[in-house]
Amino acid sequence: MSGKPKLHYFNGRGRMEPIRWLLAAAGVEFEECYLETKDDLIKLQKGGSLLFQQVPMVEIDGMKMVQTRAISNYIAAKYNLYGKDLKERALIDMYVEGMLDLNELLITHPFQPADKKEQHFATLVDKATNRYFPAFEKVLKDHGQDFLVGNRFSKADVQLLEAILMAEEYKPDILAKFPLLQSFKARISNIPTIKKFLQPGSQRKPQIEEKDVQKVLKIFY
Amino acid sequence: MAGKPKLYYFDGRGKMESIRWLLAAAGVEFEEEFLETREQYEKLLQGGSLLFQQVPLVEIDGMKMVQTRAILSYIAGKYNLYGKDLKERALIDMYVEGADDLMGFILMFPFLSAEDKEKQHAVIIQKATSRYFPAYEKVLKDHGQDFLVGNNFSWADVRLLEAILMVEEKKSDVLSGFPQLQAFKARISSIPTIKKFLEPGSQRKPVPDDKYVETVRRVLRMYYNVKAN
């Protein structure tokens, strides 16, 4: 066994992307095994690797971990990106859960049926600009620190940067009213491990293209 | 400050119920403020208590915590229901997340149309009996221990019992193919703090009814047209 975590998912963002971000932020090299067809998924299911028959699945430290949050929590704690005590962890968890709610809108958008897409886009922009970004702008404003929690780089910073960049793909000026998030974005993007992940050739996945949406749906449905 | 956690939510299960379960399991007394009017909710919003404008909200240890999972993780960590190390925590998280997914099918159930309720009922039973219960049955069978993780009572056991009881409310014999889960249910239900929570007069909330649905819709001005997932 190579010792590197091994990610099982389709070759795209979906629910695995936050895990790729976190591993990259922690400077951890990882391997990927892509599901291309439904048969690939069935093979994994039959092999007993998927506790609830679902991916993401990450082989790490002798475990076959499933459930995005569980995997993300484990990686964050192992690589000291989860705060220094229970209260910092509570703040990180609160912020990340909000980001995951926004993330859900962002990652499901390409899969919306044509007649729902416009409404979904409006909801996505509304929630980002009226609910989530204002909350994080305020957090940064109130403490004036470089990072969201405990004056230290954590999973919360990684997750927020990911959400910001994805939201900008949908609406490039989405941070127009959020000066602190703009400088946050610049600052976190410059962290060496993050900077590397943002460069071409990294394991970061692009936004899914229209032509691949059906292929992905066929794997899972 | 009283020191007791204070829960802000509707007088009903929803997303707050698993928090009530965990506090009760840990033997922690808590207070509740029930949202009954739109004005109460707007007051909370204007007061800046709701980080993402949503409830559940729990005031605990000087924090105004929102986001159900964040609250639950904090309580589990504080009251030693989160395993003894990172790997046990990983297992607990996996099992809790699975139970969460199952309960997610039940959460929106009261808000569905009659026709969708029938379909969703079938989905709940199918997912429970073909995906989730078999997974937990196997975990218990493989290690033969009383508790899901680390031979010690944890958040995972509380969550699984909650899920089992909720599914049984939909189909009373749903555990018939799962002997390990039946024994598990009996065992965990007998733990003194849990037993107390299961008795009448506790802060456990009943199955959501029309009044609950009407209150949530009126207070949040949402969930009028919910579709099954």
mmCIF file of all heavy atoms in Angstrom, chain B residues 56-103:
data_model
loop_
_atom_site.group_PDB
_atom_site.id
_atom_site.type_symbol
_atom_site.label_atom_id
_atom_site.label_comp_id
_atom_site.label_asym_id
_atom_site.label_seq_id
_atom_site.Cartn_x
_atom_site.Cartn_y
_atom_site.Cartn_z
ATOM 1 N N PRO B 56 -32.331 25.528 13.925
ATOM 2 C CA PRO B 56 -32.112 25.616 15.364
ATOM 3 C C PRO B 56 -31.082 26.644 15.809
ATOM 4 O O PRO B 56 -30.098 26.905 15.127
ATOM 5 C CB PRO B 56 -31.577 24.217 15.722
ATOM 6 C CG PRO B 56 -32.075 23.311 14.686
ATOM 7 C CD PRO B 56 -32.103 24.126 13.429
ATOM 8 N N LEU B 57 -31.335 27.194 16.998
ATOM 9 C CA LEU B 57 -30.370 28.020 17.699
ATOM 10 C C LEU B 57 -30.263 27.433 19.100
ATOM 11 O O LEU B 57 -31.274 27.141 19.730
ATOM 12 C CB LEU B 57 -30.857 29.474 17.781
ATOM 13 C CG LEU B 57 -30.149 30.383 18.796
ATOM 14 C CD1 LEU B 57 -28.710 30.664 18.379
ATOM 15 C CD2 LEU B 57 -30.907 31.699 18.973
ATOM 16 N N VAL B 58 -29.033 27.255 19.569
ATOM 17 C CA VAL B 58 -28.835 26.797 20.950
ATOM 18 C C VAL B 58 -27.835 27.721 21.629
ATOM 19 O O VAL B 58 -26.715 27.898 21.141
ATOM 20 C CB VAL B 58 -28.315 25.338 21.004
ATOM 21 C CG1 VAL B 58 -27.982 24.933 22.439
ATOM 22 C CG2 VAL B 58 -29.336 24.381 20.417
ATOM 23 N N GLU B 59 -28.278 28.324 22.723
ATOM 24 C CA GLU B 59 -27.347 29.111 23.536
ATOM 25 C C GLU B 59 -26.679 28.151 24.501
ATOM 26 O O GLU B 59 -27.357 27.513 25.315
ATOM 27 C CB GLU B 59 -28.094 30.205 24.310
ATOM 28 C CG GLU B 59 -28.624 31.299 23.411
ATOM 29 C CD GLU B 59 -29.472 32.330 24.159
ATOM 30 O OE1 GLU B 59 -30.102 31.971 25.175
ATOM 31 O OE2 GLU B 59 -29.529 33.473 23.699
ATOM 32 N N ILE B 60 -25.378 28.044 24.389
ATOM 33 C CA ILE B 60 -24.657 27.080 25.225
ATOM 34 C C ILE B 60 -23.248 27.589 25.475
ATOM 35 O O ILE B 60 -22.576 28.023 24.523
ATOM 36 C CB ILE B 60 -24.662 25.670 24.565
ATOM 37 C CG1 ILE B 60 -23.965 24.626 25.446
ATOM 38 C CG2 ILE B 60 -24.045 25.686 23.168
ATOM 39 C CD1 ILE B 60 -24.196 23.180 24.998
ATOM 40 N N ASP B 61 -22.839 27.596 26.737
ATOM 41 C CA ASP B 61 -21.482 28.004 27.111
ATOM 42 C C ASP B 61 -21.084 29.347 26.504
ATOM 43 O O ASP B 61 -19.975 29.506 25.983
ATOM 44 C CB ASP B 61 -20.470 26.914 26.702
ATOM 45 C CG ASP B 61 -20.737 25.609 27.444
ATOM 46 O OD1 ASP B 61 -21.423 25.653 28.493
ATOM 47 O OD2 ASP B 61 -20.293 24.552 26.979
ATOM 48 N N GLY B 62 -21.999 30.295 26.559
ATOM 49 C CA GLY B 62 -21.703 31.638 26.077
ATOM 50 C C GLY B 62 -21.752 31.802 24.564
ATOM 51 O O GLY B 62 -21.521 32.889 24.053
ATOM 52 N N MET B 63 -22.073 30.733 23.848
ATOM 53 C CA MET B 63 -22.138 30.830 22.378
ATOM 54 C C MET B 63 -23.599 30.776 21.927
ATOM 55 O O MET B 63 -24.433 30.138 22.569
ATOM 56 C CB MET B 63 -21.400 29.643 21.728
ATOM 57 C CG MET B 63 -19.928 29.550 22.057
ATOM 58 S SD MET B 63 -19.135 28.155 21.208
ATOM 59 C CE MET B 63 -19.757 26.744 22.132
ATOM 60 N N LYS B 64 -23.865 31.454 20.815
ATOM 61 C CA LYS B 64 -25.161 31.304 20.159
ATOM 62 C C LYS B 64 -24.896 30.377 18.972
ATOM 63 O O LYS B 64 -24.530 30.826 17.900
ATOM 64 C CB LYS B 64 -25.688 32.650 19.675
ATOM 65 C CG LYS B 64 -26.160 33.586 20.788
ATOM 66 C CD LYS B 64 -26.771 34.827 20.169
ATOM 67 C CE LYS B 64 -27.278 35.929 21.049
ATOM 68 N NZ LYS B 64 -27.422 35.777 22.457
ATOM 69 N N MET B 65 -25.095 29.091 19.174
ATOM 70 C CA MET B 65 -24.741 28.128 18.134
ATOM 71 C C MET B 65 -25.896 27.857 17.193
ATOM 72 O O MET B 65 -27.041 27.653 17.618
ATOM 73 C CB MET B 65 -24.271 26.815 18.755
ATOM 74 C CG MET B 65 -22.875 26.898 19.349
ATOM 75 S SD MET B 65 -22.111 25.266 19.555
ATOM 76 C CE MET B 65 -21.713 24.844 17.853
ATOM 77 N N VAL B 66 -25.580 27.832 15.903
ATOM 78 C CA VAL B 66 -26.533 27.414 14.888
ATOM 79 C C VAL B 66 -25.898 26.272 14.105
ATOM 80 O O VAL B 66 -24.728 25.959 14.288
ATOM 81 C CB VAL B 66 -26.925 28.561 13.938
ATOM 82 C CG1 VAL B 66 -27.598 29.687 14.691
ATOM 83 C CG2 VAL B 66 -25.703 29.073 13.185
ATOM 84 N N GLN B 67 -26.688 25.685 13.194
ATOM 85 C CA GLN B 67 -26.271 24.534 12.391
ATOM 86 C C GLN B 67 -26.256 23.270 13.256
ATOM 87 O O GLN B 67 -25.401 23.056 14.111
ATOM 88 C CB GLN B 67 -24.904 24.744 11.728
ATOM 89 C CG GLN B 67 -24.921 25.802 10.643
ATOM 90 C CD GLN B 67 -25.676 25.356 9.397
ATOM 91 O OE1 GLN B 67 -25.980 24.171 9.211
ATOM 92 N NE2 GLN B 67 -26.006 26.286 8.526
ATOM 93 N N THR B 68 -27.250 22.446 12.976
ATOM 94 C CA THR B 68 -27.500 21.265 13.797
ATOM 95 C C THR B 68 -26.249 20.421 14.030
ATOM 96 O O THR B 68 -25.956 20.045 15.174
ATOM 97 C CB THR B 68 -28.577 20.380 13.128
ATOM 98 O OG1 THR B 68 -29.639 21.208 12.678
ATOM 99 C CG2 THR B 68 -29.108 19.347 14.096
ATOM 100 N N ARG B 69 -25.516 20.124 12.968
ATOM 101 C CA ARG B 69 -24.349 19.252 13.145
ATOM 102 C C ARG B 69 -23.295 19.880 14.032
ATOM 103 O O ARG B 69 -22.634 19.209 14.812
ATOM 104 C CB ARG B 69 -23.740 18.897 11.797
ATOM 105 C CG ARG B 69 -24.364 17.689 11.172
ATOM 106 C CD ARG B 69 -23.702 17.368 9.882
ATOM 107 N NE ARG B 69 -24.472 16.416 9.117
ATOM 108 C CZ ARG B 69 -25.521 16.720 8.380
ATOM 109 N NH1 ARG B 69 -25.919 17.964 8.274
ATOM 110 N NH2 ARG B 69 -26.167 15.781 7.714
ATOM 111 N N ALA B 70 -23.098 21.183 13.888
ATOM 112 C CA ALA B 70 -22.101 21.872 14.711
ATOM 113 C C ALA B 70 -22.487 21.765 16.184
ATOM 114 O O ALA B 70 -21.648 21.485 17.054
ATOM 115 C CB ALA B 70 -21.996 23.334 14.293
ATOM 116 N N ILE B 71 -23.769 21.979 16.453
ATOM 117 C CA ILE B 71 -24.270 21.910 17.824
ATOM 118 C C ILE B 71 -24.093 20.497 18.386
ATOM 119 O O ILE B 71 -23.598 20.292 19.493
ATOM 120 C CB ILE B 71 -25.760 22.327 17.871
ATOM 121 C CG1 ILE B 71 -25.915 23.781 17.413
ATOM 122 C CG2 ILE B 71 -26.348 22.132 19.266
ATOM 123 C CD1 ILE B 71 -27.355 24.180 17.054
ATOM 124 N N LEU B 72 -24.500 19.511 17.597
ATOM 125 C CA LEU B 72 -24.391 18.119 18.047
ATOM 126 C C LEU B 72 -22.940 17.720 18.303
ATOM 127 O O LEU B 72 -22.635 17.083 19.311
ATOM 128 C CB LEU B 72 -25.008 17.184 16.994
ATOM 129 C CG LEU B 72 -26.528 17.203 16.897
ATOM 130 C CD1 LEU B 72 -26.990 16.508 15.618
ATOM 131 C CD2 LEU B 72 -27.169 16.532 18.111
ATOM 132 N N SER B 73 -22.037 18.106 17.387
ATOM 133 C CA SER B 73 -20.616 17.759 17.566
ATOM 134 C C SER B 73 -20.058 18.368 18.840
ATOM 135 O O SER B 73 -19.273 17.755 19.554
ATOM 136 C CB SER B 73 -19.780 18.258 16.390
ATOM 137 O OG SER B 73 -20.092 17.544 15.234
ATOM 138 N N TYR B 74 -20.472 19.599 19.118
ATOM 139 C CA TYR B 74 -19.988 20.276 20.324
ATOM 140 C C TYR B 74 -20.456 19.545 21.573
ATOM 141 O O TYR B 74 -19.672 19.265 22.485
ATOM 142 C CB TYR B 74 -20.456 21.733 20.350
ATOM 143 C CG TYR B 74 -19.983 22.472 21.586
ATOM 144 C CD1 TYR B 74 -18.657 22.876 21.701
ATOM 145 C CD2 TYR B 74 -20.844 22.719 22.651
ATOM 146 C CE1 TYR B 74 -18.204 23.530 22.844
ATOM 147 C CE2 TYR B 74 -20.395 23.372 23.797
ATOM 148 C CZ TYR B 74 -19.081 23.774 23.879
ATOM 149 O OH TYR B 74 -18.625 24.413 25.010
ATOM 150 N N ILE B 75 -21.740 19.204 21.588
ATOM 151 C CA ILE B 75 -22.296 18.499 22.747
ATOM 152 C C ILE B 75 -21.622 17.136 22.915
ATOM 153 O O ILE B 75 -21.229 16.746 24.017
ATOM 154 C CB ILE B 75 -23.825 18.327 22.585
ATOM 155 C CG1 ILE B 75 -24.521 19.688 22.604
ATOM 156 C CG2 ILE B 75 -24.388 17.439 23.689
ATOM 157 C CD1 ILE B 75 -25.967 19.656 22.100
ATOM 158 N N ALA B 76 -21.485 16.416 21.816
ATOM 159 C CA ALA B 76 -20.847 15.094 21.879
ATOM 160 C C ALA B 76 -19.422 15.202 22.408
ATOM 161 O O ALA B 76 -18.998 14.411 23.259
ATOM 162 C CB ALA B 76 -20.848 14.437 20.506
ATOM 163 N N GLY B 77 -18.686 16.199 21.912
ATOM 164 C CA GLY B 77 -17.307 16.393 22.360
ATOM 165 C C GLY B 77 -17.253 16.758 23.833
ATOM 166 O O GLY B 77 -16.443 16.229 24.598
ATOM 167 N N LYS B 78 -18.137 17.643 24.239
ATOM 168 C CA LYS B 78 -18.113 18.133 25.618
ATOM 169 C C LYS B 78 -18.459 17.031 26.621
ATOM 170 O O LYS B 78 -17.885 16.972 27.706
ATOM 171 C CB LYS B 78 -19.102 19.298 25.756
ATOM 172 C CG LYS B 78 -19.108 19.901 27.148
ATOM 173 C CD LYS B 78 -20.026 21.105 27.271
ATOM 174 C CE LYS B 78 -19.978 21.566 28.740
ATOM 175 N NZ LYS B 78 -20.904 22.655 29.029
ATOM 176 N N TYR B 79 -19.402 16.170 26.255
ATOM 177 C CA TYR B 79 -19.891 15.176 27.214
ATOM 178 C C TYR B 79 -19.335 13.775 26.946
ATOM 179 O O TYR B 79 -19.932 12.783 27.331
ATOM 180 C CB TYR B 79 -21.427 15.195 27.251
ATOM 181 C CG TYR B 79 -21.946 16.497 27.812
ATOM 182 C CD1 TYR B 79 -22.455 17.485 26.984
ATOM 183 C CD2 TYR B 79 -21.866 16.759 29.185
ATOM 184 C CE1 TYR B 79 -22.887 18.701 27.490
ATOM 185 C CE2 TYR B 79 -22.295 17.973 29.698
ATOM 186 C CZ TYR B 79 -22.800 18.941 28.849
ATOM 187 O OH TYR B 79 -23.231 20.141 29.354
ATOM 188 N N ASN B 80 -18.195 13.728 26.274
ATOM 189 C CA ASN B 80 -17.485 12.456 26.091
ATOM 190 C C ASN B 80 -18.317 11.393 25.380
ATOM 191 O O ASN B 80 -18.288 10.219 25.758
ATOM 192 C CB ASN B 80 -17.001 11.911 27.433
ATOM 193 C CG ASN B 80 -15.919 12.786 28.011
ATOM 194 O OD1 ASN B 80 -14.980 13.150 27.320
ATOM 195 N ND2 ASN B 80 -16.062 13.153 29.267
ATOM 196 N N LEU B 81 -19.046 11.801 24.364
ATOM 197 C CA LEU B 81 -19.812 10.843 23.582
ATOM 198 C C LEU B 81 -19.270 10.772 22.161
ATOM 199 O O LEU B 81 -19.986 10.396 21.231
ATOM 200 C CB LEU B 81 -21.297 11.277 23.561
ATOM 201 C CG LEU B 81 -22.006 11.178 24.917
ATOM 202 C CD1 LEU B 81 -23.362 11.877 24.857
ATOM 203 C CD2 LEU B 81 -22.190 9.730 25.336
ATOM 204 N N TYR B 82 -17.975 11.145 22.017
ATOM 205 C CA TYR B 82 -17.417 11.255 20.671
ATOM 206 C C TYR B 82 -16.193 10.369 20.481
ATOM 207 O O TYR B 82 -15.323 10.671 19.684
ATOM 208 C CB TYR B 82 -17.052 12.724 20.412
ATOM 209 C CG TYR B 82 -17.319 13.217 18.999
ATOM 210 C CD1 TYR B 82 -17.369 14.573 18.721
ATOM 211 C CD2 TYR B 82 -17.499 12.347 17.938
ATOM 212 C CE1 TYR B 82 -17.590 15.051 17.438
ATOM 213 C CE2 TYR B 82 -17.724 12.808 16.650
ATOM 214 C CZ TYR B 82 -17.767 14.163 16.406
ATOM 215 O OH TYR B 82 -17.991 14.640 15.141
ATOM 216 N N GLY B 83 -16.127 9.269 21.256
ATOM 217 C CA GLY B 83 -15.011 8.346 21.075
ATOM 218 C C GLY B 83 -13.752 8.824 21.786
ATOM 219 O O GLY B 83 -13.692 9.935 22.304
ATOM 220 N N LYS B 84 -12.733 7.941 21.807
ATOM 221 C CA LYS B 84 -11.533 8.286 22.570
ATOM 222 C C LYS B 84 -10.392 8.819 21.697
ATOM 223 O O LYS B 84 -9.403 9.331 22.222
ATOM 224 C CB LYS B 84 -11.039 7.079 23.379
ATOM 225 C CG LYS B 84 -10.449 5.970 22.531
ATOM 226 C CD LYS B 84 -9.980 4.823 23.429
ATOM 227 C CE LYS B 84 -9.024 3.883 22.708
ATOM 228 N NZ LYS B 84 -9.596 3.260 21.497
ATOM 229 N N ASP B 85 -10.505 8.679 20.379
ATOM 230 C CA ASP B 85 -9.440 9.172 19.503
ATOM 231 C C ASP B 85 -10.013 9.486 18.119
ATOM 232 O O ASP B 85 -11.206 9.304 17.875
ATOM 233 C CB ASP B 85 -8.290 8.159 19.408
ATOM 234 C CG ASP B 85 -8.750 6.791 18.909
ATOM 235 O OD1 ASP B 85 -9.729 6.719 18.134
ATOM 236 O OD2 ASP B 85 -8.139 5.781 19.302
ATOM 237 N N LEU B 86 -9.147 9.926 17.242
ATOM 238 C CA LEU B 86 -9.562 10.350 15.896
ATOM 239 C C LEU B 86 -10.252 9.248 15.110
ATOM 240 O O LEU B 86 -11.214 9.502 14.379
ATOM 241 C CB LEU B 86 -8.336 10.800 15.090
ATOM 242 C CG LEU B 86 -7.940 12.260 15.107
ATOM 243 C CD1 LEU B 86 -6.962 12.539 13.975
ATOM 244 C CD2 LEU B 86 -9.142 13.178 14.976
ATOM 245 N N LYS B 87 -9.749 8.036 15.234
ATOM 246 C CA LYS B 87 -10.326 6.935 14.445
ATOM 247 C C LYS B 87 -11.719 6.565 14.950
ATOM 248 O O LYS B 87 -12.614 6.268 14.148
ATOM 249 C CB LYS B 87 -9.393 5.719 14.442
ATOM 250 C CG LYS B 87 -8.222 5.902 13.488
ATOM 251 C CD LYS B 87 -7.640 4.594 13.004
ATOM 252 C CE LYS B 87 -6.674 4.833 11.855
ATOM 253 N NZ LYS B 87 -6.070 3.583 11.342
ATOM 254 N N GLU B 88 -11.898 6.590 16.270
ATOM 255 C CA GLU B 88 -13.239 6.308 16.794
ATOM 256 C C GLU B 88 -14.176 7.430 16.380
ATOM 257 O O GLU B 88 -15.336 7.195 16.023
ATOM 258 C CB GLU B 88 -13.210 6.153 18.329
ATOM 259 C CG GLU B 88 -12.625 4.806 18.745
ATOM 260 C CD GLU B 88 -12.849 4.464 20.216
ATOM 261 O OE1 GLU B 88 -13.433 5.287 20.962
ATOM 262 O OE2 GLU B 88 -12.446 3.351 20.615
ATOM 263 N N ARG B 89 -13.672 8.658 16.390
ATOM 264 C CA ARG B 89 -14.501 9.780 15.976
ATOM 265 C C ARG B 89 -14.896 9.629 14.512
ATOM 266 O O ARG B 89 -16.021 9.943 14.128
ATOM 267 C CB ARG B 89 -13.768 11.100 16.194
ATOM 268 C CG ARG B 89 -14.684 12.200 16.696
ATOM 269 C CD ARG B 89 -13.922 13.377 17.177
ATOM 270 N NE ARG B 89 -13.526 14.229 16.080
ATOM 271 C CZ ARG B 89 -12.621 15.197 16.171
ATOM 272 N NH1 ARG B 89 -12.007 15.426 17.319
ATOM 273 N NH2 ARG B 89 -12.314 15.929 15.129
ATOM 274 N N ALA B 90 -13.965 9.132 13.703
ATOM 275 C CA ALA B 90 -14.262 8.920 12.280
ATOM 276 C C ALA B 90 -15.412 7.924 12.111
ATOM 277 O O ALA B 90 -16.331 8.144 11.319
ATOM 278 C CB ALA B 90 -13.021 8.423 11.551
ATOM 279 N N LEU B 91 -15.368 6.839 12.858
ATOM 280 C CA LEU B 91 -16.445 5.836 12.780
ATOM 281 C C LEU B 91 -17.763 6.440 13.253
ATOM 282 O O LEU B 91 -18.804 6.275 12.607
ATOM 283 C CB LEU B 91 -16.101 4.618 13.638
ATOM 284 C CG LEU B 91 -15.017 3.688 13.094
ATOM 285 C CD1 LEU B 91 -14.710 2.582 14.114
ATOM 286 C CD2 LEU B 91 -15.428 3.046 11.782
ATOM 287 N N ILE B 92 -17.718 7.141 14.373
ATOM 288 C CA ILE B 92 -18.938 7.766 14.901
ATOM 289 C C ILE B 92 -19.509 8.720 13.857
ATOM 290 O O ILE B 92 -20.708 8.704 13.563
ATOM 291 C CB ILE B 92 -18.658 8.494 16.233
ATOM 292 C CG1 ILE B 92 -18.370 7.466 17.337
ATOM 293 C CG2 ILE B 92 -19.833 9.397 16.626
ATOM 294 C CD1 ILE B 92 -17.816 8.058 18.624
ATOM 295 N N ASP B 93 -18.663 9.549 13.275
ATOM 296 C CA ASP B 93 -19.125 10.494 12.247
ATOM 297 C C ASP B 93 -19.778 9.750 11.077
ATOM 298 O O ASP B 93 -20.842 10.147 10.594
ATOM 299 C CB ASP B 93 -17.958 11.328 11.709
ATOM 300 C CG ASP B 93 -17.637 12.539 12.586
ATOM 301 O OD1 ASP B 93 -18.498 12.927 13.400
ATOM 302 O OD2 ASP B 93 -16.529 13.097 12.441
ATOM 303 N N MET B 94 -19.145 8.690 10.614
ATOM 304 C CA MET B 94 -19.711 7.928 9.475
ATOM 305 C C MET B 94 -21.092 7.385 9.828
ATOM 306 O O MET B 94 -22.046 7.526 9.050
ATOM 307 C CB MET B 94 -18.800 6.753 9.110
ATOM 308 C CG MET B 94 -17.633 7.124 8.244
ATOM 309 S SD MET B 94 -16.980 5.698 7.353
ATOM 310 C CE MET B 94 -16.066 4.899 8.661
ATOM 311 N N TYR B 95 -21.208 6.789 10.995
ATOM 312 C CA TYR B 95 -22.485 6.181 11.374
ATOM 313 C C TYR B 95 -23.561 7.242 11.595
ATOM 314 O O TYR B 95 -24.712 7.091 11.189
ATOM 315 C CB TYR B 95 -22.334 5.323 12.636
ATOM 316 C CG TYR B 95 -21.352 4.180 12.500
ATOM 317 C CD1 TYR B 95 -20.753 3.612 13.623
ATOM 318 C CD2 TYR B 95 -21.003 3.662 11.258
ATOM 319 C CE1 TYR B 95 -19.840 2.568 13.522
ATOM 320 C CE2 TYR B 95 -20.090 2.618 11.137
ATOM 321 C CZ TYR B 95 -19.517 2.073 12.273
ATOM 322 O OH TYR B 95 -18.605 1.045 12.160
ATOM 323 N N VAL B 96 -23.183 8.340 12.214
ATOM 324 C CA VAL B 96 -24.133 9.423 12.455
ATOM 325 C C VAL B 96 -24.607 10.020 11.130
ATOM 326 O O VAL B 96 -25.797 10.277 10.950
ATOM 327 C CB VAL B 96 -23.496 10.516 13.343
ATOM 328 C CG1 VAL B 96 -24.258 11.818 13.245
ATOM 329 C CG2 VAL B 96 -23.443 10.065 14.789
ATOM 330 N N GLU B 97 -23.698 10.219 10.198
ATOM 331 C CA GLU B 97 -24.060 10.807 8.910
ATOM 332 C C GLU B 97 -25.019 9.903 8.144
ATOM 333 O O GLU B 97 -25.946 10.366 7.485
ATOM 334 C CB GLU B 97 -22.806 11.074 8.065
ATOM 335 C CG GLU B 97 -21.964 12.230 8.567
ATOM 336 C CD GLU B 97 -22.675 13.564 8.492
ATOM 337 O OE1 GLU B 97 -23.242 13.872 7.435
ATOM 338 O OE2 GLU B 97 -22.690 14.284 9.496
ATOM 339 N N GLY B 98 -24.793 8.600 8.223
ATOM 340 C CA GLY B 98 -25.706 7.667 7.566
ATOM 341 C C GLY B 98 -27.094 7.771 8.166
ATOM 342 O O GLY B 98 -28.096 7.869 7.444
ATOM 343 N N ALA B 99 -27.174 7.784 9.480
ATOM 344 C CA ALA B 99 -28.470 7.896 10.156
ATOM 345 C C ALA B 99 -29.143 9.215 9.791
ATOM 346 O O ALA B 99 -30.351 9.275 9.598
ATOM 347 C CB ALA B 99 -28.287 7.790 11.666
ATOM 348 N N ASP B 100 -28.336 10.256 9.671
ATOM 349 C CA ASP B 100 -28.844 11.574 9.255
ATOM 350 C C ASP B 100 -29.487 11.513 7.884
ATOM 351 O O ASP B 100 -30.526 12.111 7.646
ATOM 352 C CB ASP B 100 -27.658 12.535 9.115
ATOM 353 C CG ASP B 100 -27.579 13.482 10.266
ATOM 354 O OD1 ASP B 100 -28.225 13.210 11.290
ATOM 355 O OD2 ASP B 100 -26.872 14.488 10.123
ATOM 356 N N ASP B 101 -28.821 10.837 6.960
ATOM 357 C CA ASP B 101 -29.372 10.722 5.608
ATOM 358 C C ASP B 101 -30.723 10.019 5.662
ATOM 359 O O ASP B 101 -31.682 10.443 5.010
ATOM 360 C CB ASP B 101 -28.404 9.945 4.691
ATOM 361 C CG ASP B 101 -27.207 10.781 4.258
ATOM 362 O OD1 ASP B 101 -27.219 12.005 4.495
ATOM 363 O OD2 ASP B 101 -26.260 10.210 3.681
ATOM 364 N N LEU B 102 -30.806 8.958 6.454
ATOM 365 C CA LEU B 102 -32.069 8.225 6.588
ATOM 366 C C LEU B 102 -33.139 9.128 7.201
ATOM 367 O O LEU B 102 -34.262 9.212 6.699
ATOM 368 C CB LEU B 102 -31.876 6.977 7.459
ATOM 369 C CG LEU B 102 -33.132 6.173 7.813
ATOM 370 C CD1 LEU B 102 -33.881 5.721 6.554
ATOM 371 C CD2 LEU B 102 -32.777 4.964 8.679
ATOM 372 N N MET B 103 -32.786 9.849 8.242
ATOM 373 C CA MET B 103 -33.765 10.711 8.904
ATOM 374 C C MET B 103 -34.166 11.883 8.013
ATOM 375 O O MET B 103 -35.248 12.434 8.159
ATOM 376 C CB MET B 103 -33.208 11.191 10.231
ATOM 377 C CG MET B 103 -32.846 10.018 11.081
ATOM 378 S SD MET B 103 -33.504 10.122 12.740
ATOM 379 C CE MET B 103 -32.289 11.167 13.411
#
